[in-house]
């Protein structure tokens, strides 16, 4: 039991140390052109302020209605996927029907052959053989 308490205490200490470290405030890639706090050039386009970053996803979640072109494109994709599914299942059904028909024909042929052999074997000469 003491091991679990010791492990829990160690994990809690690491968590507190990480949360109080200055690196936990923001993540940035160190650059050789300037400090990470004040990026210049192309880095300025990549990184944004903390306030803007916190609002980014909330703004993105309130997306406006889709345009008619977007709806049409999405519907075309759905219809194309449905057509591919229908074609696939139709092809599988045709393959199965062909297989079942061949199996049925083979079974009928075996049955006919065995019936014919039985008739030849049991022919008593009184009636003409059926062919």
């Amino acid at each position: 039991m003491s091991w679990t308490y010791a492990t829990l205490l160690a994990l809690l200490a690491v968590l507190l140390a990480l949360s109080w470290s200055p690196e936990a405030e923001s993540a940035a890639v160190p650059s050789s052109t300037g400090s990470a706090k004040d990026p210049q050039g192309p880095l300025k386009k990549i990184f944004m302020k903390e306030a803007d970053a916190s609002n980014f996803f909330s703004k993105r979640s309130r997306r406006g209605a889709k345009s008619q072109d977007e709806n049409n494109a999405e519907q075309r994709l759905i219809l194309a996927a449905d057509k591919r599914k229908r074609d696939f299942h139709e092809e599988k059904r045709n393959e199965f029907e062909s297989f079942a028909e061949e199996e049925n024909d083979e079974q009928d042929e075996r049955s006919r052959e065995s019936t014919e052999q039985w008739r030849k074997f049991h022919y008593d000469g009184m009636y003409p053989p059926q062919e």
Side-chain angles (χ1 to χ4, degrees):
M1 200 53 108
S2 64
W3 285 102
T4 56
Y5 288 128
T7 306
L8 185 60
L9 186 61
L11 287 175
L12 185 61
V14 169
L15 181 64
L16 287 173
L18 287 175
S19 66
W20 286 340
S21 69
E23 287 83 15
E25 293 298 319
S26 64
V29 178
S31 90
S32 59
T33 59
S35 70
K37 303 280 185 202
D38 188 24
Q40 283 105 13
L43 289 179
K44 194 167 188 93
K45 295 178 185 175
I46 295 173
F47 295 103
M48 61 177 61
K49 295 179 183 176
E50 187 177 350
D52 294 338
S54 65
N55 293 330
F56 178 75
F57 289 109
S58 63
K59 287 179 185 176
R60 294 287 293 173
S61 65
R62 291 190 303 259
R63 184 173 180 213
K66 291 181 183 176
S67 69
Q68 188 61 38
D69 291 337
E70 285 178 314
N71 286 334
N72 291 343
E74 188 175 328
Q75 194 64 26
R76 279 194 303 272
L77 289 174
I78 291 170
L79 291 174
D82 289 345
K83 184 179 183 328
R84 284 193 302 270
K85 285 181 196 173
R86 276 195 310 274
D87 291 345
F88 174 77
H89 290 298
E90 182 180 353
E91 182 179 336
K92 288 294 180 187
R93 185 176 61 244
N94 289 340
E95 287 177 8
F96 177 74
E97 287 175 355
S98 299
F99 172 77
E101 188 176 338
E102 289 175 10
E103 285 290 316
N104 211 5
D105 290 347
E106 289 177 10
Q107 182 64 34
D108 289 346
E109 180 68 23
R110 286 192 295 267
S111 175
R112 187 190 61 76
E113 287 176 358
S114 66
T115 304
E116 187 177 317
Q117 288 174 354
W118 186 89
R119 283 185 182 147
K120 284 183 180 179
F121 183 76
H122 292 284
Y123 176 62
D124 58 359
M126 293 182 66
Y127 303 102
Q130 298 174 354
E131 294 183 9

